Amino acid sequence: MPKADAANAEAARPMRSLLAGANPKLVVGALVLALLVAVAIAAPWIAPYRFDEMSILSRLKPPSLAHWCGTDEFGRDVFSRTLMGARLSLMMGFAATAVSLLIGVPLGLWAGYRRGTVDEAIMRATDVLLSFPPIMLGLLILAVTPPSLWKMIIAVGIVYVPSTVRLTRSVTLDLAGEEFVQAARARGERAAYILHAEILPNAWPPIMVEASLRVTFAILLGAALSFIGLGAQPPSSDWGLMISEARPLIDRAPWVALAPGIAMGITVIAVNLLGDGLREALDPRMQRKGG
Amino acid sequence: MVLYVIKRLVGIVAILVVMSVLVFAITQVMPGNVAHILAGQFADDATIKAIEHKLGLDAPAYVQYWRWASGVLSGNLGNSLIMERPVGPLIWDAFMSSALLAAIAFVMVAVFGIVLGVLAAVRQNRFTDHAVSVFSYIGVSVPEFFWAIVAIIVFARYLDWLPSGGAGNLSHGVWSWASHLILPSLTLTFTLIAHVSRLTRSSMIETLRSNYVRNARAKGLPEGVIIRRHALRNALLPTITVLAIDVGWLLGNIVVVEAVFSYPGIGRLLLFAIERHDLPLIQAGILLIAAVYCFANLIADLLYAYFNPKIRYGHAES
Amino acid sequence: MTTPLLSVKDLTLTYQTGRGRLRALNGVSFDVNAGETLAVVGESGSGKSSVALAAMGLLGPEAHLDGSIRFEDGELIGLDEASRRALRGRAIGMVFQDPFTSLNPSLRIGEQVAEPLVYHQGLSRAEALEKAVAALGEVGLPGPREIASAYPHQLSGGMQQRVLIASAIVCNPRLLILDEPTTALDVTVEAQILDLLDNLRRSRGLGMVFITHNLGVVNRIADRVCVLYAGRVVEVGEKDTVLGRPSHPYTKGLLASLPRLAADGRARRIAPIPGRFPDLVNAPPGCIFAPRCPFAESACVENEQVLATDAAGNGARCWKSAGLPGWPEEPADDRNIIEVAASREPAEDDAPLLRTEDLSKRYRRGRIGGGIEWTRKLGVIPWPSTRAETVNAVDGISLEIRRGEVVGLVGESGSGKSTFGRTILRLVDPSSGHVMFDSRDVASLPDGELDDLRKRAQIVFQNPDSSLNPRRRIGKAIARAVKLQTNVPPERLRAHVEDLLDRVGLPRAYYDRYPHQLSGGEKQRVGIARALATEPEFIVCDEPVSALDVSVQATVLNLLDGLKDELNLSYLFISHDLSVVAYIADRIAVMYSGRLCEVGPADAVLQPPYHPYTQALLSAVPLPTPGAARRERIRLRGDRPPSGAQRSGCVFHTRCPRSLGELCANTAPPVHEPRPGHRIACHLSLDELARDASVLPEAAPVAAAE
């Protein structure tokens, strides 16, 4: 009989985690994002026009069957440009976040586990970087070199390094006090092993939740930099740049600004939903205990 | 016992010094220089050399930095290289304009953010909650410059209620002055409000689940009293920290918003300076913004401690 | 018979879960009369807290209640919120388990105690505050007026619990519901709170529902007992009947699995309840305890059991209860045949395996940015400044542990016992002093040269949830330790780990499980297997059974005891629970505020002469033995150890009932040695100390055997 009970309880567990995984925000966010990624990848093939194809004859045409979102002042198809912009925007968001994780996570782990002077030095450095409002830091870094997509990605990535370090460090500090980490020390494990095998796997969930939200910051920051002219350069189809170019035409052709703006809204909302869904699914307090 | 505030102030000064070196280093490696810009496209080498010499740009980097730093210590922020005017008054006027805009936006963010967050938490999973959530999602998901453009289209072009940009002057009447502030500050507020309201909501929900709120319920207190007296005070503590972070966001967003609305603030001035490599202006602008941000954090930490009796009255020995 | 104050009839509580309906309570019935204390006893998952929340109407909206709860002729189930609110705090008071989180951190104590008066009796704030101060005085808080203007974090746990009690009784309720009110407190403080509750019940004629898992506490406070298991009442009755002559197998099992203190210092073997807690969604048919019951037969599984009570209100939900024998000892397999007497005499001539000399660990609290304290300059201007202080967690401890010996280290929370355990393993670096492990000083070795210590000394932790990496399979976690510290060839690794699982009594199939698939007791066994993996000689057991339910605790204790003999291990066994330490230890060290007050063979420490602190601890331990509730009790003043400047003399002087004043406060106490190996640090002379009678009862006959 006890065996049967145990078996029941076991059988119930995967079911419960499946249910916890079925967070509606998570599902909707993931689906929309997957769709966006697919569109971004397929953009060159599914776009009705080339993104930089100009046509003097069809300048500033309102939305029609031929041009779903109208055309801009050079007669380029806004819909095609918006599709291509998805590539840049998503690339911007994810690559910049990856840069911040790549630099920030190891530093945070090290600071949180080693403590002492290493910790102090890293924390003071993040203090300095955090004293710049994000866009200022991005501005300064971009001002050094002529803008290009990769430089912008690295600049935006660096902007979010300090907050990644902070979060990773605090998670590491908590985990380092956990008894299974103490047990690893007691059996003589080296610091490198403890960090990558014991601490990191448990630190990922909160880091990933933060990172997913940071993707949206990165997309918005990248767009803002392009908008003020320090990011992507014409004739690129970056959404921020497109909106900036559409500004003088607001009166005559509001659709030129609208399409990239809405696309951006959808992208950011999808990532936000995904992040919130992740947070709720991973937060143990959100899950009801049964039994 | 060394005073906490003095320590923090020393820390802020240290951060500003490090930052000024950093900014200086970055401007040193910036491609192109101010002499080229001043001399124009067709200037010969001799002219550029002369301009460089006149501005002191031919001296070694550390000498240039020292000149600038000793100037700052004696209260002289130097001259703008491009506008050939003292940086001090230039930046001060811009800063005051921006501060006005930022202050209005900050107060609105704080007030509406907290109110919406508390409402959403108290009506958790009901209509109000979902409405607040959708509202804040939309605000945070579209960049401030897009909302700025939408606001201009709607309120300035079609409705023609408000000016689309620039700054008003009090001499033309209060309305003229105030009307120029409405759209930029609304744009700033809308994009930041989500941050505060979402955090307030989750902090409030957590507080409503706490043991002391359960204990207050067991004492038979009315729900309104439980929310006001027991939950709100504790739930708003983390909001203080978030508001400090929002000052940073605000300072960032203001650059973009000023650009869209052609508002003569420090953000636009700084953008102008960075595009033209005007070092003294960049230095002064960045340091001023960083100083504001650092002070905001210091004030938040002090307020947090002040409103948190645990810190205010010291820990019990456990 | 008068109408009972609270009458619960057939109370059933169900939750809808993803797997079906979960029955948290199933047909629970009991009565509480005015002036009477009913103890509701159960292990975790028994539903005992749900009973309290149901009576208060504080269960969430997802809870579905059936049956009836009547309070003074009024039905509580289905009552509207406004009428409920009028009862809560006014007619029914409630005290929750965790005093540290149950008070609002940002309101002054006085306001929190006074506010029910404002809302229930319409008093003005000033009047209410006056009454609140009186209530604070009534619950025994010194200087109630000052306390009323303090904030919760400025009080200790015991004081916070008194405040919660004051706020529950301030409106003169007729019924008080207490949910594990002393579980979070130290045993000496628990004793004070139990005294207080007993006095309140007497002076105010309160009816009390006292929810607890601790049978010793039940014995101390209850008139009647209601035993819950898996949401059902399995036994009710008079306290002495239930504890002295239990009828239901579960009650018998619970009592048999408790280690008990007795005057001769010898502990009888404890017998655990086998098996696992049932699943409440797909509950087993018939008697819910049948799967774990040694007396079960097919009829038990086929028929639902009924609770039959006699005229005195005693009864059990078991059709066989009338003629049952005592709870059987653990089945004697090879591992469990232990010569208890032999293991208690370790060889004297050996050099000790581990010896600490004057070991200390100091922490500094509060650094730049660590904490801000606001003071008022000139009385008005708020002025911030930083705080820093030194904490002496371990303050000059010299202790030795011989091969094959179990040394029990007893102390209350904050005494530094865990820090000591971690310092000798170099998980924490000592501030000063020596740790001689096998005659080699490991206190000052650099981290890279600790290989020998890491292999030969291991640790078992308290918290089963945090001691295993949640993202790692059980087998892999143990295998890693084997691979790191032994020469087991890789192809033998899995078999070796499965042998280890075998050894700690877990199925071999657990190799591929994750920690969340295991129960608390099973996780603790994995923790033990992992410690054994490096083939150590010495293990620090840091409260290894404190987080476990009583019935599970017994299995883990017996396992540790058996392994020690089998593998010739030495333990430093750290615990706050004297009964547990007395059960397993050869020698006992008593620690208070970073220092040792008394060390000696287990039987010597448990008998006079006592250190005054040991004496107080022993007399405060609630024992489930009938009659033990009436033994003489020694109560300590206050509940805080001394800090900073007060530490020059004996650290216990601030609470010692026998303090000699100046001498104790300023001079370190001399060490008496009443017999070889038994040392007491106290200013009182040995004669004075020896004059005391034992505070423990004589070893009782095995109660459950009747």
Side-chain angles (χ1 to χ4, degrees):
Chain A
M1 269 301 136
K3 282 239 170 76
D5 287 339
N8 276 340
E10 238 74 278
R13 257 176 191 121
M15 260 185 56
R16 228 173 329 182
S17 59
L18 249 181
L19 277 173
N23 181 306
K25 288 183 184 174
L26 189 68
V27 173
V28 173
L31 283 180
V32 175
L33 196 64
L35 191 70
L36 284 167
V37 170
V39 165
I41 292 172
W45 296 282
I46 59 171
Y49 301 85
R50 273 168 45 82
F51 76 96
D52 51 357
E53 188 181 308
M54 300 194 198
S55 159
I56 309 294
L57 290 177
S58 50
R59 290 178 57 198
L60 296 178
K61 287 271 188 290
S64 66
L65 275 179
H67 299 281
W68 292 0
C69 298
T71 60
D72 67 6
E73 57 179 325
F74 301 108
R76 297 175 297 195
D77 181 50
V78 174
F79 181 66
S80 302
R81 286 177 66 72
T82 306
L83 286 189
M84 285 302 284
R87 290 193 136 195
L88 297 175
S89 234
L90 288 173
M91 172 89 111
M92 178 79 230
F94 286 100
T97 306
V99 168
S100 75
L101 290 177
L102 226 54
I103 305 175
V105 169
L107 283 176
L109 283 173
W110 196 30
Y113 188 69
R114 274 277 165 240
R115 316 281 292 275
T117 40
V118 174
D119 184 24
E120 199 69 18
I122 292 177
M123 291 320 282
R124 292 295 81 81
T126 62
D127 273 349
V128 173
L129 289 178
L130 281 173
S131 306
F132 287 101
I135 203 168
M136 295 291 162
L137 196 55
L139 281 181
L140 269 180
I141 298 172
L142 284 178
V144 179
T145 54
S148 81
L149 180 66
W150 284 109
K151 278 167 193 150
M152 196 158 85
I153 284 171
I154 290 170
V156 173
I158 290 175
V159 167
Y160 293 115
V161 165
S163 43
T164 310
V165 171
R166 285 279 173 110
L167 176 75
T168 312
R169 174 182 176 271
S170 76
V171 174
T172 307
L173 269 181
D174 286 348
L175 285 172
E178 291 279 324
E179 291 173 347
F180 63 84
V181 174
Q182 296 299 316
R185 290 184 59 205
R187 66 170 182 260
E189 297 284 7
R190 298 182 181 290
Y193 175 87
I194 292 179
L195 283 176
H196 102 258
E198 303 280 353
I199 291 182
L200 195 55
N202 292 292
W204 271 128
I207 293 175
M208 285 321 288
V209 168
E210 273 297 301
S212 68
L213 298 179
R214 213 164 282 129
V215 168
T216 69
F217 297 164
I219 291 175
L220 293 175
L221 179 55
L225 288 172
S226 297
F227 179 81
I228 54 182
L230 285 167
Q233 300 296 311
S236 159
S237 62
D238 183 278
W239 291 339
L241 184 65
M242 285 171 75
I243 295 174
S244 158
E245 287 170 346
R247 244 178 86 205
L249 316 166
I250 288 176
D251 291 334
R252 289 177 290 156
W255 55 84
V256 186
L258 223 52
I262 290 170
M264 190 172 239
I266 291 172
T267 311
V268 175
I269 286 180
V271 181
N272 262 330
L273 282 174
L274 184 75
D276 279 4
L278 267 183
R279 189 202 305 273
E280 282 168 22
L282 293 173
D283 185 348
R285 278 171 311 180
M286 298 275 185
Q287 291 169 14
R288 261 267 307 286
K289 271 192 195 164
Chain B
M1 196 158 17
V2 186
L3 284 177
Y4 175 76
V5 174
I6 291 182
K7 275 185 187 165
R8 283 291 297 265
L9 287 176
V10 171
I12 289 176
V13 170
I15 283 176
L16 293 180
V17 169
V18 173
M19 201 175 278
S20 73
V21 175
L22 217 61
V23 172
F24 185 81
I26 288 174
T27 51
Q28 284 301 300
V29 293
M30 274 188 191
N33 75 28
V34 78
H36 285 97
I37 295 168
L38 285 176
Q41 219 174 342
F42 306 107
D44 57 17
D45 279 0
T47 324
I48 289 173
K49 282 259 149 48
I51 296 175
E52 277 185 350
H53 183 73
K54 182 181 140 215
L55 298 175
L57 296 178
D58 52 350
Y62 64 90
V63 175
Q64 288 189 47
Y65 181 76
W66 179 246
R67 272 187 210 147
W68 175 82
S70 50
V72 171
L73 289 180
S74 57
N76 174 16
L77 288 167
N79 277 343
S80 160
L81 303 181
I82 301 287
M83 293 189 259
E84 298 186 53
R85 277 196 287 156
V87 166
L90 207 60
I91 215 145
W92 185 250
D93 289 346
F95 176 71
M96 288 317 282
S97 310
S98 289
L100 180 66
L101 196 57
I104 295 172
F106 183 77
V107 169
M108 291 209 292
V109 166
V111 172
F112 291 115
I114 289 172
V115 169
L116 289 179
V118 169
L119 271 180
V122 172
R123 315 235 126 222
Q124 198 193 344
N125 291 332
R126 290 197 250 161
F127 176 76
T128 318
D129 185 17
H130 296 310
V132 168
S133 162
V134 167
F135 177 74
S136 56
Y137 257 121
I138 293 176
V140 81
S141 296
V142 181
E144 61 281 9
F145 54 83
F146 183 76
W147 287 128
I149 291 174
V150 170
I152 290 174
I153 294 178
V154 175
F155 294 104
R157 295 291 147 80
Y158 289 128
L159 298 174
D160 200 18
W161 289 350
L162 296 162
S164 65
N169 196 320
L170 266 178
S171 58
H172 298 300
V174 175
W175 169 245
S176 150
W177 172 77
S179 64
H180 284 91
L181 290 169
I182 293 176
L183 285 185
S185 55
L186 272 182
T187 307
L188 283 171
T189 308
F190 189 49
T191 46
L192 282 173
I193 209 161
H195 198 208
V196 176
S197 69
R198 286 166 79 175
L199 187 111
T200 306
R201 174 182 180 271
S202 67
S203 148
M204 188 75 186
I205 286 175
E206 194 166 313
T207 312
L208 285 172
R209 275 193 212 144
S210 71
N211 281 346
Y212 56 83
V213 166
R214 185 180 63 173
N215 193 47
R217 293 219 167 94
K219 287 195 280 194
L221 305 183
E223 197 63 21
V225 173
I226 290 173
I227 288 168
R228 278 198 313 277
R229 256 169 83 83
H230 287 267
L232 207 53
R233 279 173 97 145
N234 296 294
L236 289 188
L237 271 179
T239 308
I240 295 178
T241 317
V242 170
L243 284 175
I245 296 172
D246 273 356
V247 170
W249 289 23
L250 195 58
L251 295 171
N253 286 1
I254 216 168
V255 175
V256 178
V257 168
E258 284 179 2
V260 182
F261 288 100
S262 318
Y263 186 88
I266 193 161
R268 223 163 62 108
L269 188 66
L270 203 56
L271 215 54
F272 171 87
I274 287 177
E275 277 164 1
R276 288 166 186 77
H277 300 200
D278 191 341
L279 179 62
L281 207 52
I282 297 178
Q283 281 278 24
I286 296 246
L287 291 186
L288 192 58
I289 287 180
V292 168
Y293 190 44
C294 288
F295 274 106
N297 274 310
L298 173 59
I299 290 168
D301 284 353
L302 292 176
L303 282 179
Y304 188 88
Y306 189 72
F307 286 113
N308 185 352
K310 248 185 210 167
I311 301 182
R312 185 160 33 138
Y313 293 99
H315 286 279
E317 278 158 60
S318 49
Chain C
M1 259 189 130
T2 54
T3 22
L5 193 60
L6 182 78
S7 174
V8 176
K9 281 267 175 311
D10 282 329
L11 185 67
T12 298
L13 167 64
T14 49
Y15 290 101
Q16 199 61 46
T17 70
R19 302 187 292 133
R21 281 151 65 81
L22 183 147
R23 234 173 249 278
L25 293 176
N26 191 351
V28 170
S29 305
F30 59 80
D31 290 340
V32 187
N33 295 315
E36 179 189 67
T37 302
L38 173 85
V40 177
V41 194
E43 296 182 280
S44 51
S46 64
K48 55 190 190 301
S49 291
S50 302
V51 172
L53 293 175
M56 292 300 280
L58 290 174
L59 289 166
E62 67 279 5
H64 182 78
L65 275 177
D66 287 308
S68 137
I69 305 174
R70 295 183 76 78
F71 175 73
E72 295 179 333
D73 294 328
E75 177 59 47
L76 295 184
I77 290 182
L79 203 61
D80 64 286
E81 189 56 26
S83 329
R84 272 192 180 288
R85 199 180 295 136
L87 284 177
R88 279 186 218 142
R90 190 175 59 80
I92 310 177
M94 172 136 189
V95 177
F96 290 97
Q97 169 170 10
D98 188 357
F100 306 98
T101 58
S102 290
L103 286 167
N104 189 331
S106 64
L107 285 178
R108 289 178 195 276
I109 298 293
E111 298 173 52
Q112 300 197 45
V113 177
E115 59 186 358
L117 291 165
V118 175
Y119 298 102
H120 289 304
Q121 302 186 351
L123 298 187
S124 73
R125 293 223 167 256
E127 290 167 334
L129 201 59
E130 257 338 282
K131 283 206 170 184
V133 169
L136 288 170
E138 191 182 344
V139 296
L141 284 165
R145 216 160 274 282
E146 287 74 57
I147 298 234
S149 61
Y151 284 94
H153 70 274
Q154 294 171 297
L155 309 184
S156 65
M159 292 161 96
Q160 289 183 347
Q161 195 58 283
R162 284 173 195 267
V163 170
L164 282 170
I165 293 172
S167 75
I169 59 160
V170 74
C171 287
N172 292 314
R174 271 95 68 198
L175 179 71
L176 197 56
I177 300 177
L178 305 119
D179 186 2
E180 302 256 15
T182 58
T183 305
L185 306 174
D186 283 324
V187 59
T188 53
V189 181
E190 171 180 78
Q192 298 169 344
I193 298 287
L194 292 177
D195 287 347
L196 165 68
L197 290 170
D198 223 17
N199 290 338
L200 282 175
R201 182 189 54 134
R202 243 178 291 240
S203 63
R204 293 176 164 234
L206 278 168
M208 293 207 298
V209 178
F210 195 105
I211 293 158
T212 182
H213 69 283
N214 186 330
L215 291 166
V217 170
V218 171
N219 189 27
R220 171 75 188 74
I221 191 131
D223 300 310
R224 293 169 52 78
V225 185
C226 167
V227 183
L228 279 185
Y229 177 75
R232 294 174 210 216
V233 178
V234 293
E235 180 159 5
V236 287
E238 300 291 326
K239 172 188 71 183
D240 285 342
T241 312
V242 174
L243 295 183
R245 283 173 280 113
S247 314
H248 195 279
Y250 175 64
T251 322
K252 285 175 191 275
L254 267 188
L255 284 161
S257 58
L258 273 182
R260 297 185 197 197
L261 287 169
D264 62 0
R266 285 282 300 278
R268 136 193 95 72
R269 273 205 78 75
I270 50 179
I273 302 176
R276 265 185 165 204
F277 191 76
D279 177 14
L280 294 180
V281 175
N282 302 302
C287 172
I288 195 147
F289 186 62
R292 299 174 73 182
C293 181
F295 313 115
E297 48 187 272
S298 58
C300 296
V301 184
E302 285 153 14
N303 304 318
E304 192 72 34
Q305 300 294 309
V306 287
L307 182 68
T309 50
D310 61 17
N314 301 330
R317 192 186 286 272
C318 176
W319 65 286
K320 295 175 73 178
S321 65
L324 282 183
W327 189 259
E329 295 278 314
E330 223 181 341
D333 61 30
D334 293 346
R335 182 168 45 224
N336 286 307
I337 301 171
I338 295 159
E339 292 301 318
V340 176
S343 71
R344 297 243 157 193
E345 299 299 333
E348 293 280 337
D349 47 322
D350 279 357
L353 179 61
L354 184 129
R355 194 175 80 241
T356 69
E357 287 168 16
D358 214 16
L359 192 67
S360 295
K361 176 66 192 175
R362 288 177 291 274
Y363 290 107
R364 270 177 70 74
R365 254 206 318 228
R367 307 177 53 206
I368 306 174
I372 314 165
E373 189 167 30
W374 287 80
T375 47
R376 288 194 186 269
K377 280 266 142 87
L378 307 171
V380 276
I381 310 156
W383 196 255
S385 51
T386 46
R387 264 175 300 111
E389 60 180 319
T390 305
V391 180
N392 294 284
V394 177
D395 195 7
I397 288 200
S398 303
L399 185 69
E400 56 180 57
I401 299 164
R402 292 186 284 262
R403 286 170 208 277
E405 184 186 47
V406 179
V407 174
L409 182 60
V410 185
E412 298 183 310
S413 57
S415 62
K417 55 190 190 301
S418 274
T419 310
F420 177 71
R422 289 173 193 215
T423 310
I424 58 178
L425 292 186
R426 281 293 302 278
L427 294 176
V428 169
D429 288 333
S431 307
S432 64
H434 304 281
V435 180
M436 311 299 293
F437 185 77
D438 205 6
S439 311
R440 182 156 176 243
D441 190 356
V442 294
S444 47
L445 282 180
D447 274 342
E449 291 173 33
L450 290 171
D451 294 347
D452 184 54
L453 180 73
R454 294 289 179 235
K455 172 166 170 39
R456 295 171 64 190
Q458 281 296 312
I459 180 163
V460 174
F461 292 99
Q462 167 176 9
N463 189 342
D465 293 321
S466 98
S467 67
L468 298 175
N469 187 338
R471 292 181 188 266
R472 211 163 223 229
R473 288 178 198 279
I474 302 304
K476 296 275 184 234
I478 301 172
R480 174 71 198 177
V482 174
K483 209 159 67 184
L484 196 69
Q485 294 290 3
T486 67
N487 298 322
V488 175
E491 67 276 8
R492 280 266 313 130
L493 201 55
R494 180 162 181 135
H496 185 89
V497 171
E498 285 175 344
D499 287 346
L500 279 168
L501 287 173
D502 231 10
R503 174 151 260 162
V504 297
L506 290 173
R508 287 173 165 250
Y510 275 31
Y511 188 96
D512 289 315
R513 297 222 176 162
Y514 282 100
H516 71 87
Q517 297 172 302
L518 272 57
S519 70
E522 288 170 340
K523 284 185 222 174
Q524 212 56 329
R525 286 165 186 263
V526 175
I528 294 169
R530 183 181 55 191
L532 293 177
T534 68
E535 295 166 6
E537 294 154 52
F538 171 65
I539 299 180
V540 172
C541 301
D542 189 357
E543 302 255 19
V545 296
S546 306
L548 305 177
D549 275 322
V550 182
S551 61
V552 184
Q553 171 180 320
T555 57
V556 174
L557 273 180
N558 282 349
L559 173 68
L560 283 169
D561 204 24
L563 288 169
K564 176 200 72 170
D565 296 318
E566 212 176 333
L567 303 170
N568 195 30
L569 298 170
S570 311
Y571 296 152
L572 175 70
F573 194 99
I574 299 168
S575 180
H576 69 283
D577 186 338
L578 253 173
S579 314
V580 167
V581 168
Y583 177 71
I584 199 166
D586 303 311
R587 289 196 301 135
I588 297 178
V590 183
M591 192 163 173
Y592 185 81
S593 187
R595 296 188 198 161
L596 291 184
C597 337
E598 180 167 0
V599 193
D603 55 341
V605 172
L606 298 177
Q607 287 170 29
Y610 298 122
H611 185 279
Y613 177 60
T614 316
Q615 186 183 20
L617 264 186
L618 284 170
S619 81
V621 176
L623 298 174
T625 319
R630 285 178 290 278
R631 72 206 149 99
E632 191 201 344
R633 290 192 289 271
I634 292 148
R635 291 293 177 257
L636 296 181
R637 299 175 280 147
D639 46 20
R640 286 186 188 186
S643 60
Q646 294 173 300
R647 296 183 66 90
S648 56
C650 172
V651 284
F652 187 55
H653 80 270
T654 50
R655 295 180 67 196
C656 185
R658 307 170 74 178
S659 167
L660 302 174
E662 285 293 297
L663 180 65
C664 290
N666 299 326
T667 318
V671 176
H672 307 294
E673 194 152 2
R675 67 182 229 208
H678 184 201
R679 297 192 295 276
I680 301 174
C682 187
H683 283 292
L684 290 170
S685 74
L686 206 48
D687 289 344
E688 275 176 273
L689 291 173
R691 223 176 289 147
D692 292 311
S694 174
V695 289
L696 291 176
E698 290 304 315
V702 180
E706 284 172 38

